[in-house]
Amino acid sequence: MKNIYKASMNRILKNWIFIGGCIIALVATFVFTANFIGMTGRFETMGHERRMIFMSIAMMGFYTIFVPLYTNAEYRDGTIRNKLIAGFSQKDVYLGTLFSHITALGIMTLCYLIAGIAGGAQISADMLAKNIVLFFALCGYVSVMEFVAMRVQKTVAVAIGAFLILNVAYYIVMIGNFFIAFILKGTALIIGRIIYNTDVFGQWMIHVGLADQESNPGNFTQIIISLVIVLLSVLLGTLGINKRDLN
C-alpha cells in the first residue's frame, strides 16, 4: 500500500486539475477573505475569519468532481489493472488511493489557510479549531466519494453517483435546519443532530454561523462523527473487494 500511496501522490501532484484547484483555493480564499470584490450586507459583516470559513465549502465541490474523475481515469487507462498484475491487492489500491486523496486535501487546506491569513483572518484557537473540524468533515466526504469511485467503473454512472450524494447532502441540511429548529426534542433531537453532522455541508453551516446552534454537538463530537464516516466508508468500500472482477 505504501508504494501505491507514493505513486498516487506523485500523479496527483502533477495533475493539472489538482494544481488548478490549489491555485483557485489560494486566489479565491484571499479575495473573498479580504473582500476585495466589495460584497456588502451579511457577507461584509461576517468579518475575515467567517468569510474564510465560508470559502472552505468550495473544497466540497472540488472533491465531488476530482475524486471520481481521478479514480475513474485510473480504471480507464489500465493503471489499477497494472497494479493488480504487479501483485497488489484491490484493498491496497483502495487504501493507497484514499490516503493520497486525504493528503491532497491537506495540501489544498494548507493553501486555503495561508490565503485566508494573508487576506486578514486572525490566527486564534477558535479559528484553528473550526478549520480542523471542517478538515475532518471533508475527510469523511472524500472517503464517501472514494467509496463510490472505487465501486463504480463507468464514467457516467460515477458522475451521477457523486452529484447525487452532493444533492442528498444539501437536502439533508435544508430539511434538518427546519426539523432541528422547530420539531425535534429530546432523544429525537440528539439523533437528528448526529445525522445533520454526518454531512460536511451541515458542519460548514454550523461553523460559518448560518445554522441553528441546536445543530452543534461540539467540536470534539463533530470530529468523532467524521472519523466514524471515514471508518464506515473504508469498511464498506473494502468489503469483499479483493474477490470482485475488473472488466
Side-chain angles (χ1 to χ4, degrees):
M1 188 188 75
K2 183 178 179 181
N3 290 334
I4 292 176
Y5 168 78
K6 288 181 178 179
S8 183
M9 278 306 306
N10 185 55
R11 286 192 299 279
I12 287 176
L13 293 175
K14 294 177 181 178
N15 186 284
W16 66 269
I17 298 176
F18 177 71
I19 294 171
C22 288
I23 293 172
I24 292 172
L26 280 167
V27 175
T29 304
F30 177 70
V31 168
F32 277 82
T33 300
N35 198 18
F36 283 150
I37 54 180
M39 292 182 70
T40 59
R42 179 182 292 183
F43 190 81
E44 183 180 24
T45 59
M46 277 183 177
H48 295 90
E49 288 75 27
R50 284 181 63 198
R51 286 199 293 268
M52 180 185 73
I53 292 173
F54 185 91
M55 285 306 298
S56 67
I57 198 62
M59 285 187 279
M60 181 181 179
F62 177 83
Y63 282 96
T64 301
I65 299 170
F66 183 71
V67 173
L69 285 181
Y70 176 88
T71 304
N72 187 259
E74 295 222 316
Y75 276 124
R76 285 186 284 105
D77 64 18
T79 301
I80 290 179
R81 181 173 290 279
N82 289 339
K83 291 174 182 176
L84 300 181
I85 292 173
F88 295 104
S89 68
Q90 293 190 56
K91 187 174 182 179
D92 289 333
V93 174
Y94 189 106
L95 294 175
T97 304
L98 173 60
F99 291 143
S100 67
H101 281 305
I102 289 177
T103 303
L105 170 63
I107 294 171
M108 186 172 287
T109 300
L110 183 61
C111 292
Y112 146 81
L113 285 171
I114 291 171
I117 293 169
Q122 297 297 310
I123 300 176
S124 66
D126 182 63
M127 184 270 277
L128 292 175
K130 287 180 178 179
N131 281 287
I132 289 171
V133 167
L134 290 174
F135 171 75
F136 279 102
L138 283 164
C139 286
Y141 187 73
V142 166
S143 69
V144 172
M145 285 292 127
E146 187 63 17
F147 167 78
V148 174
M150 289 294 289
R151 286 291 182 174
V152 182
Q153 299 175 41
K154 301 295 183 181
T155 305
V156 174
V158 77
I160 292 172
F163 280 96
L164 180 62
I165 290 171
L166 180 63
N167 277 277
V168 169
Y170 173 79
Y171 285 111
I172 283 175
V173 170
M174 293 300 103
I175 296 171
N177 285 333
F178 173 77
F179 273 82
I180 288 174
F182 300 108
I183 297 177
L184 301 181
K185 304 293 181 183
T187 303
L189 176 60
I190 294 172
I191 295 172
R193 188 183 290 135
I194 292 172
I195 294 173
Y196 190 92
N197 283 273
T198 59
D199 187 342
V200 61
F201 189 46
Q203 294 197 30
W204 173 84
M205 288 280 287
I206 289 170
H207 289 291
V208 84
L210 298 177
D212 192 303
Q213 281 307 300
E214 285 291 333
S215 307
N216 190 354
N219 293 342
F220 180 74
T221 302
Q222 287 178 319
I223 291 174
I224 294 299
I225 291 171
S226 297
L227 289 175
V228 170
I229 295 299
V230 173
L231 180 61
L232 288 175
S233 297
V234 170
L235 290 176
L236 293 174
T238 57
L239 185 66
I241 195 171
N242 288 331
K243 297 179 180 179
R244 69 170 180 168
D245 292 326
L246 295 181
N247 296 324

